[in-house]
């Protein structure tokens, strides 16, 4: 019997290009919660400035895509540190989680271009 294994998105695999050095990335604080995969779109919570998965129907700040999680993080009941692509990058649409037209437009305002 063959077992099928699907690899998750590797850290930064969604990046097609980014600014020189590390200008495109920042260290961020992720809200406590579920495990998140590299390429997850994130919004910034109004209440505390933490980042959480982009949710277009929310009303807590996460309804606007602000950045893209660089590397996967595990579930936690505590605030977590992570890295995100926040500006000056081209990214692969196929490797992003949570992308819709509104998120694509919001990312373009951050000079993150979806290809």
């Amino acid at each position: 019997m063959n077992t099928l294994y699907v690899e998750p998105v590797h850290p930064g695999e969604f990046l097609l290009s980014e600014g020189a050095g590390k200008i495109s990335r920042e260290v961020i604080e992720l809200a406590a919660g579920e495990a998140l995969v590299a390429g997850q779109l994130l919004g910034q919570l109004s209440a505390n400035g933490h980042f959480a998965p982009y949710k277009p129907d929310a009303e807590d700040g996460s309804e606007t895509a602000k950045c893209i999680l660089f590397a996967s993080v595990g579930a936690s009941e505590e605030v977590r540190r992570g890295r995100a692509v926040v500006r000056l990058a081209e990214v692969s649409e196929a490797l992003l989680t949570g992308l819709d037209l509104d998120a694509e437009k919001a990312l373009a305002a951050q000079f993150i271009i979806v290809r």
Side-chain angles (χ1 to χ4, degrees):
M1 177 178 193
N2 291 334
T3 301
L4 179 63
Y5 177 76
V6 178
E7 286 193 47
V9 177
H10 296 279
E13 184 178 3
F14 59 88
L15 279 170
L16 299 174
S17 69
E18 63 181 321
K22 303 290 185 225
I23 195 167
S24 298
R25 303 181 209 171
E26 294 287 343
V27 173
I28 61 169
E29 289 190 338
L30 294 160
E34 63 194 90
L36 302 173
V37 297
Q40 171 71 53
L41 273 64
L42 302 171
Q44 191 168 23
L45 300 175
S46 304
N48 55 23
H50 296 158
F51 288 85
Y54 165 69
K55 293 182 181 146
D57 296 330
E59 295 180 3
D60 59 2
S62 66
E63 70 273 11
T64 303
K66 292 283 189 179
C67 59
I68 305 169
L69 187 63
F70 184 79
S72 299
V73 295
S76 176
E77 295 179 9
E78 310 257 335
V79 173
R80 305 161 280 182
R81 287 177 53 111
R83 293 204 179 273
V85 174
V86 299
R87 69 181 81 78
L88 300 174
E90 292 176 292
V91 296
S92 172
E93 177 179 9
L95 298 175
L96 300 179
T97 300
L99 185 66
D100 63 15
L101 186 57
D102 289 337
E104 188 171 346
K105 288 178 183 177
L107 290 174
Q110 303 293 116
F111 301 100
I112 299 172
I113 308 304
V114 177
R115 301 280 185 211

